[in-house]
Amino acid sequence: MPRGLVALLLALALPAQEPPVLATRFARDVVAQAPRPEHPRAWRRPDARWRSLNGPWRLFVGDEPAARTVVVPFAPESRLSGLALGQRLLPRLRYERELEIPGEWAGRRVLLHFEAVDWQARAWLDDRELGSHRGGYDPFTFDLGVAGGPATHRLRVEVHDPGDIRQDGWQPRGKQLGSQGIFYTRTSGIWQSVWLEAVPVVALDEVRVATTHEGEVRVAASVRGTAQGPLRLAVEVRGPGKDGATLEQRQEVPLAGDTRPPALRVEGVRPWAPGSPVLYEVTVHLLEGGKPVDALRGRVGFRSVAWRDGRFHLNGAPLFLRGVLDQGYWPESGLTAPTREALVEDARLALRLGFNLVRKHVKVEEAAWYEACDELGLLVMQDMVASYALDKQEAKDNYLAEMTAMVRKLANHPSVVHWVAFNEDWGRPGAFQEVAVQHLRRLDPTRGVTDASGWTQRDDTDITDVHDYGADLLRHSAKERRRPLILGEMGGVAFALPGHTWTEGWGYSRARSPEGFLRRIQMLCGQVYRAENLAGFVWTQLTDVEQEINGLVHYDRTPKVGAPERDHAEIAARIRGEVPAVAAVTPSEWWLLGPFPQPERVRDAQDDAGNRAILERYLHTPCVPDEGGLSPAAGGRVADRPWRQVPAQGAMLDLRAVLGNAMEHGVVYAVAVLPSDRDQRVALAFGSDDAARVWVNGAKVHEAVAVRGVDPWADEIPGVNLRAGRNLVVVKIAQGLFGCGVAVSYEAGHGR
């Protein structure tokens, strides 16, 4: 069964776990009366008149008659909200507070901005309904009209956030399915900044900018209010020229709303790129009858992106993508960063760890994070927020609407270079996958598109995207390719130091020590750089998230390897391929004997005491004489079972592919021939599905009793004596349900 589907079913079936107290260092910088006080948008008015509405609000949960105090912008599930409602479903919320309009705003239009509310919001000012909005990850605005003078109003916001994907919860929600498997704590209600702004009666509503690395720029804008005269735009560009002097240019253009705006040429610009993230200040003035009435100012980078000749190209040159998966969660505040500095530091962290790209995974982040990526020269591969129920037309229409909002929010950021329409087959989009890709291409023809990262790719995609958490990544080498290939997810190695975990954690494989963690990174990344015609990779993942402990740093952002002052240099060197990969010595032959059905049946696939006891009895019941001394031979038989030779392909052997369901509730003996160039003592890397007992050259060296999948590095067996030549590794596998396999290897050059 696909891992994503298994995790989804587990999330629906099992009770979610409540977290312990865990926090980043940024939590202590939060002031509850005025959290997140910075301006929340990347494009701002030079003479901005605005007020934050973050801080304490009254919150009514469901039908509860009494109000609670919640600290906005933190979701009520999080601890920084002051409520810490955790895993509770919160489909109905009502927020209230007083809202003051200052006297100096008289004669100006007053706008009420919400950066993100999950999911459907309706707002009232006193008894006047302002409007409604659907979309949990995009900003929206209500127009309060022109202020007549100082005033105090009562603001009420009602939020509907359906939580059950099997009923009406079809909205895009990312990883919000409760803390279980690959899913995390939900985010309900207001979860990004709320603020007031006074603008001219006729004002710029939105500015969209597209550039090329050769200095071309196109500017479009939309306007709020009714103008009395003709409207045009004046575009000012200011920044460093190629000759070291300051470049300044001003041009007037027609106001282009949804039509393609004319191209302007800015001579002498320096292209934006990782390592040289040159940004230019752009001020867009709104002219009414030739007179300036409003302006918005932001920063852009001049750059061009393309996929061709099997590679990603930036500004006409190929660039290998070293990416990391970033899910944007914090232990104290969920989807909302505790402070702006926390967002910026996550972007810096990705660079320090050796990456040049971040895949922002099924979440649209706050504007400040993309600003940081622009400033730092960090590329962004942006996922659309995942939905898990796309069978209804209403759900499909909404998916496209929220996709449109995502593109409009992020289009001006040079760091955003690629869109991902779906992750794997989440939501089971079917033919709708192609509809969504075409929609993305119409919205933004300047960036590439992946139709589905991982699985079920169709033909309309710019790249092939493979998810592979296994140990053999060289299998993705190819002399020629139809289109560029990246490993869109890989790694996923679980490891954590005591005192830095949310709960008992998991990963796709596991290391037992900081040294083992580094060796795993070295081995996997080394293969990526040796693989032919690979365009890049995305490592899972930047930080631990709740029960997932496969981050490169802990959930609280503390390092797993080395002291903080080392600046993650040991990991970064391996991510960049600067430390040569250590070759793994794997079996040259595999032989199988069995299966031997057992009278007792394992109940299910849970790793509990009852199932482990049954598997232990399988192991302790001999099926053949002298189990550890088995020596396979072509044409030979033992206990009326023939030996079967299986081709060796790396460290792992998929027994289900050979034996099918006959392995369930039984025992099989797998004998590996492990070569050695000398007498030496080594540490074997071993994994099995499920329980196993291991002998090497007749001596018992290991026993593992668990219901588990095959992780090639699940167990480290130290002090194993190998002799020069052939070594027989006999593995007795006790199997319960579903998949079955075994893996054994050791690192060349690490023996004594």
Side-chain angles (χ1 to χ4, degrees), residues 229-234 250 252 285-294:
L231 297 176
R232 288 178 64 81
L233 300 178
R250 177 186 171 99
E252 287 192 20
H285 299 272
L286 178 64
L287 308 179
E288 183 179 11
K291 296 182 179 180
V293 294
D294 194 19

Side-chain angles (χ1 to χ4, degrees), residues 675-729:
S676 176
D677 60 0
R678 65 187 189 280
D679 292 345
Q680 59 179 323
R681 176 173 288 190
V682 302
L684 288 186
F686 177 79
S688 62
D689 181 349
D690 288 308
R693 181 178 287 179
V694 183
W695 297 263
V696 176
N697 297 326
K700 181 183 172 184
V701 297
H702 185 62
E703 183 169 308
V705 180
V707 179
R708 63 184 187 177
V710 181
D711 169 1
W713 302 287
D715 305 324
E716 183 175 293
I717 309 175
V720 175
N721 291 312
L722 299 182
R723 58 194 176 213
R726 289 163 49 94
N727 296 269
L728 293 185
V729 181

